[in-house]
Amino acid sequence: MPATGTALRVGLETLRSNPLRTFLSTLGVMIGVASLVAVLALGDGMEQYGLARIRGEGAQVVGLRAIESETVDGVAVPRDSAVLFTTADAADLARTLPPGTQVVMLRQGAGLVTGPAGGRARGAVVAGVLPSPGFPPLTVVHGRMFTTAEAYADAPLALLSQPLADSLAAPRPGASLVGDTVHVGDVARIVAGVFTLNAGAAVARPGAANYVVMPVDGAAAAMAPAGPGAARSPTLEAHAASVEDVPAVRAAVERWVAARWPDWRHEVRLSSTSQQRLATFREGVLVFKLFMGAIVSISLLVGGIGIMNVLLASVTERTREIGIRKTTGARNRDILRQFLAESVVVSGAGSVVGVVLGLAGAFAFTAIMRAVSEAEVYAAITLRTLLLAALAAIVVGLVFGTYPARRAARLSPIDAIRHE
């Protein structure tokens, strides 16, 4: 280790003595590493953006739906009886799932809502939910959201969307309804809060503005009678903590279902976003990285050739110095180590500058992408990218510095001293 440290120190001093040559020798490595880092940072950023979009589409959700109809001669015929999920089922399922998994329930229908003072009933989408962090995707602007414990107890609470609250309370503001009682169908509910739906909310229906959200168990009584083919049982969902946890969550859900209904495949339908789609996406990103990495590696190859040429010239210029060192006791491996150290220093310096340039280019390019499109793509800095850049510098330095170093180490001391 001390000999290597000395070789690196001497290498730095040698390179500082001729800064122009050092810059030219590192230029190719800088361009190659910058290109490689930019491609990897863009690939990582696009991968994160794609995974976020897939997660937003429910890639982390394992859903359970009751089979409520059978297909006979190509016609869906409702069953006389079907599984009816309750909050007790949700609580039991939650106890069997991996840590971090959230269980939610959702039941949707339509109903008529009447304000405290009566008047004209308003049509609304009625959503019965079992809330959990992030679900349902809404923002309470007045009042509060009912808690999970209140949902399990089927507390007589409800939340109204802002447009519905404003129309029921007119000419007063919708916020004045908080604490009052409204009727959803024939069911009386205390208004706990007023909300606005978040963008892309799962409970949203195109064209609808009036919504009522209430505990799931009591929502059925507040809804208008369902038509043929309408769902009679809530949807029960297990939200995995990450996409990678989905297979384990699905396996746990299958075990729970099998324990409750031995012939469960004829009673419930288990679904999850295809892991094949996720695998295909990741494979596509990997192919992109490998393909672009192979192309930009040509720049590294050119940079390595530049280093080798500079070192060969340095060997020629320092032949007499090499001969003197050998006659004073330097061994072949000492000379070899010296020139390899200089090669690694050159490639390492180019790698450091290249990482900075590559990241700057990647962030600038993603900024342009965001400016000209709606894609929220950002470059990503990962430890893997930085380690790969460092490894590339070491490999380039060692591979392309080996030939000049071996040539210097094999020089005859007598012939080297006589060299002019």
Side-chain angles (χ1 to χ4, degrees), residues 396-412:
V396 168
L398 292 177
V399 170
F400 290 93
T402 297
Y403 175 69
R406 288 174 62 86
R407 182 173 177 177
R410 291 177 176 178
L411 286 175
S412 169

Side-chain angles (χ1 to χ4, degrees), residues 3 28 45 95 110 123 127 137 225 254 261 276 337 341 347 362 402 405 407 415-416:
R95 288 190 288 268
E254 284 186 358
W261 299 282
Q276 184 62 38
R337 184 185 297 116
S347 60
T402 297
R407 182 173 177 177
D415 294 337

Side-chain angles (χ1 to χ4, degrees), residues 8 10 34 47 79 99 103 134 136 178 200 236 248 251 261 271 324 344 380 403:
L8 290 172
V10 174
E47 183 176 12
R79 284 185 171 185
V103 175
V178 176
L236 187 59
W261 299 282
S271 64
I324 294 173
V344 171
Y403 175 69

